[in-house]
Amino acid sequence: MSDQPVVIIDDLHKSFGEREVLKGINLKVNAGEVVCIIGPSGSGKSTLLRCVNQLETTTSGTITVLGQDITDENVDIDALRTRVGMVFQQFNLFANMNVLKNCTVAQRKVLGRSEAEAREIAMKNLAHVGLEDRGDARPSELSGGQQQRVAIARALSMSPDILLFDEPTSALDPELVGDVLKVMRELAEEGMTMMVVTHEMAFARDVADRVIFMDDGVIVEEGPAAQVINAPTQERTQQFLRRVLDPTHSGE
């Protein structure tokens, strides 16, 4: 991990009409760092992530990604998104294309790679996620966990500098979660810069360099993963973790 920031978020506010969802977020993510963002539903976690690749426009404040102010109205968003990969809760694969085509279409159309080069890169990344033998399959022929691993391979095939994961396992049956988390662990070990919104506390504790706890549009607590999850200092963080880690409590 380097101290070179890939993402710098400065006093970020985001409103939907009268409702302010992000209330002055300040955050830096360094190259090679894995930052997990946890918190209750409605705390602004996914909105924060979507602002980092401008799927949501900001209301005020600035976000600098790879040295470029992406909140500038003149920024080339398409060029930005070639460098910032995103994996969604719902896999968002093209149902009418096979797995291989899902992983090559953006390479060819956006990056201008040849068919042979795009295919070679796609196959390498499908092998990375353990699905090199499913290139001809349609998404409907795959399990949810396999579809999510294809989505990761597709994002990797664009050769991004940072990957954003928005609750990548929350739509999966419990027995399929492990395969997706295994791929994410391997990416972290390889030095991929990652921002991960997740409710998988064991993953956050074991893999993240830093954990951010958000509630009601603000960062309540942040620090090394083990400290925030095992020994949080803020009462609101403690309350949240008691609920999600203790099965006798109802979830948030």
Side-chain angles (χ1 to χ4, degrees), residues 6-234:
V6 174
V7 177
I8 303 171
I9 299 169
D10 184 27
D11 195 26
L12 173 63
H13 292 255
K14 172 63 182 176
S15 297
F16 295 98
E18 296 294 308
R19 186 168 65 98
E20 190 175 28
V21 177
L22 298 177
K23 305 173 181 178
I25 301 292
N26 294 288
L27 179 64
K28 287 184 182 178
V29 179
N30 290 326
E33 188 176 22
V34 178
V35 175
C36 282
I37 305 166
I38 65 172
S41 297
S43 58
K45 309 182 300 294
S46 292
T47 300
L48 172 60
L49 213 61
R50 290 169 68 86
C51 285
V52 174
N53 71 351
Q54 290 292 278
L55 284 173
E56 299 289 355
T57 56
T58 54
T59 301
S60 66
T62 60
I63 304 175
T64 305
V65 177
L66 299 160
Q68 186 171 28
D69 178 4
I70 65 169
T71 56
D72 185 322
E73 60 183 17
N74 297 315
V75 73
D76 184 342
I77 292 298
D78 291 334
L80 164 76
R81 289 186 186 139
T82 65
R83 304 183 69 187
V84 181
M86 188 153 186
V87 178
F88 299 88
Q89 180 176 338
Q90 302 295 342
F91 325 120
N92 290 10
L93 298 176
F94 297 116
N96 62 330
M97 298 180 186
N98 66 23
V99 163
L100 184 60
K101 189 79 181 287
N102 264 280
C103 294
T104 58
V105 63
Q107 292 189 67
R108 299 198 63 199
K109 289 189 173 180
V110 178
L111 299 180
R113 288 174 178 162
S114 69
E115 183 174 357
E117 183 184 14
R119 181 186 174 89
E120 181 182 351
I121 289 169
M123 289 304 294
K124 180 188 76 171
N125 286 304
L126 286 169
H128 198 159
V129 302
L131 292 172
E132 64 270 35
D133 59 342
R134 301 309 304 271
D136 292 330
R138 293 292 176 101
S140 61
E141 298 169 334
L142 304 178
S143 70
Q146 289 171 327
Q147 289 185 62
Q148 192 60 293
R149 284 187 280 150
V150 172
I152 294 172
R154 178 177 63 179
L156 288 172
S157 293
M158 298 296 286
S159 308
D161 294 278
I162 179 171
L163 276 179
L164 312 178
F165 291 85
D166 187 8
E167 302 214 20
T169 60
S170 63
L172 301 179
D173 292 333
E175 67 268 22
L176 302 177
V177 168
D179 289 339
V180 173
L181 293 180
K182 177 175 179 286
V183 170
M184 293 171 65
R185 287 173 188 270
E186 289 168 356
L187 291 174
E189 289 166 3
E190 291 161 12
M192 173 62 74
T193 309
M194 296 158 62
M195 292 179 70
V196 184
V197 171
T198 186
H199 58 272
E200 301 287 346
M201 295 302 138
F203 172 84
R205 182 179 54 225
D206 296 346
V207 178
D209 298 294
R210 197 155 35 111
V211 167
I212 309 290
F213 172 69
M214 287 183 65
D215 189 34
D216 195 27
V218 299
I219 293 175
V220 175
E221 184 163 1
E222 69 173 293
Q227 179 243 297
V228 172
I229 292 178
N230 294 338
T233 60
Q234 299 299 308

